[in-house]
Amino acid sequence: GQQVMQIPQYQHVQEGEDFTTYCNSSTTLSNIQWYKQRPGGHPVFLIQLVKSGEVKKQKRLTFQFGEAKKNSSLHITATQTTDVGTYFCAGLPPGGTSYGKLTFGQGTILTVHP
Amino acid sequence: DGGITQSPKYLFRKEGQNVTLSCEQNLNHDAMYWYRQDPGQGLRLIYYSQIVNDFQKGDIAEGYSVSREKKESFPLTVTSAQKNPTAFYLCASSIMAGGNEAFFGQGTRLTVV
């Protein structure tokens, strides 16, 4: 079945440093979504990527979807303490019997030291 | 206010008892999901439903059951067959199953003693 792997599991950075988390799927995806979960909270949607090779930016966050639609990355430039939390990718299969099965990666826990 | 509501926030049960977690949404969403979150393991899919009166097993459905009799409601029952039920349970919904953002409830932390 579809598996979504995310690395690294943990990342500790000094405020102002950059941060990247990577997401890899065992199968081709229809689209990929990214979520952020603050400590003690619930996941909140950040963005969705649909097209092969797509790149989207949200202020200091840059999201990429691989050409083969099997991998993705989230890059944060110049981290701030407000970026603390767990970042999840979530993939949707193209269709078939698993249509609608939104599968999450294990998440990357980001700690930012002031 | 529109949203997705899980209740209760904290739940304690004795081992061997079934327990039902509530999930209600007033967003008019077709798709609903149940995830389990354990430390270091991210979100694991238990069950999902693309439309009322239909649902599919996720990756860890054993020991759980669901129903989708109403569009707004997707309750999850944790049965006594679930070997390690203590966890944080998250319910989510999306407009449709084929690729829209998922909105999450606040979660229910279940502790079985």
Side-chain angles (χ1 to χ4, degrees), chain A:
Chain A
Q2 177 192 343
Q3 291 187 348
V4 178
M5 308 297 292
Q6 197 173 344
I7 56 169
Q9 187 174 358
Y10 302 94
Q11 187 73 59
H12 307 276
V13 299
Q14 288 293 132
E15 190 172 20
E17 292 181 339
D18 292 356
F19 159 75
T20 304
T21 175
Y22 300 90
C23 183
N24 291 285
S25 171
S26 58
T27 58
T28 301
L29 300 170
S30 168
N31 62 66
I32 197 158
Q33 301 172 4
W34 285 90
Y35 292 78
K36 177 183 179 180
Q37 184 177 24
R38 294 183 184 275
H42 59 278
V44 175
F45 176 83
L46 294 175
I47 208 162
Q48 177 173 279
L49 305 171
V50 179
K51 299 177 183 177
S52 170
E54 188 170 15
V55 178
K56 287 188 176 180
K57 292 188 176 184
Q58 289 180 349
K59 296 182 181 179
R60 295 178 295 103
L61 278 61
T62 301
F63 304 85
Q64 294 187 355
F65 200 10
E67 294 291 340
K69 300 186 75 172
K70 294 179 70 174
N71 56 74
S72 181
S73 65
L74 159 60
H75 180 81
I76 301 178
T77 302
T79 55
Q80 300 175 359
T81 54
T82 54
D83 295 325
V84 165
T86 303
Y87 292 85
F88 292 100
C89 62
L92 272 162
T97 56
S98 295
Y99 182 74
K101 185 181 179 184
L102 184 62
T103 301
F104 280 74
Q106 301 94 322
T108 295
I109 300 172
L110 174 63
T111 305
V112 180
H113 300 285

Side-chain angles (χ1 to χ4, degrees), chain B residues 1-5 24-28:
Chain B
D1 286 338
I4 182 164
T5 303
E24 303 279 333
Q25 54 98 358
N26 60 4
L27 300 167
N28 200 33

Side-chain angles (χ1 to χ4, degrees), chain B residues 23-39:
Chain B
C23 179
E24 303 279 333
Q25 54 98 358
N26 60 4
L27 300 167
N28 200 33
H29 285 175
D30 281 324
M32 296 188 75
Y33 307 84
W34 272 107
Y35 293 91
R36 170 181 172 139
Q37 186 170 29
D38 298 283

Side-chain angles (χ1 to χ4, degrees), chain B residues 36-93:
Chain B
R36 170 181 172 139
Q37 186 170 29
D38 298 283
Q41 296 200 48
L43 303 175
R44 292 185 290 168
L45 182 63
I46 305 172
Y47 270 96
Y48 63 108
S49 169
Q50 300 177 40
I51 199 165
V52 68
N53 290 322
D54 185 53
F55 52 83
Q56 287 80 39
K57 292 182 179 180
D59 298 315
I60 56 165
E62 185 175 352
Y64 300 97
S65 65
V66 294
S67 63
R68 187 85 188 276
E69 298 176 359
K70 298 187 299 181
K71 188 176 186 178
E72 304 78 24
S73 180
F74 192 41
L76 173 74
T77 297
V78 184
T79 75
S80 57
Q82 169 49 235
K83 296 178 181 178
N84 187 19
T86 294
F88 187 50
Y89 291 88
L90 285 159
C91 179
S93 70

Side-chain angles (χ1 to χ4, degrees), chain B residues 7-23 34 36 46 63-67 74-82 84-87 89 108-113:
Chain B
S7 61
K9 190 171 183 180
Y10 299 95
L11 190 56
F12 295 86
R13 279 295 182 268
K14 290 185 177 180
E15 192 173 345
Q17 291 181 334
N18 292 356
V19 58
T20 298
L21 280 57
S22 170
C23 179
W34 272 107
R36 170 181 172 139
I46 305 172
Y64 300 97
S65 65
V66 294
S67 63
F74 192 41
L76 173 74
T77 297
V78 184
T79 75
S80 57
Q82 169 49 235
N84 187 19
T86 294
Y89 291 88
T108 294
R109 189 165 299 278
L110 173 65
T111 302
V112 176
V113 296

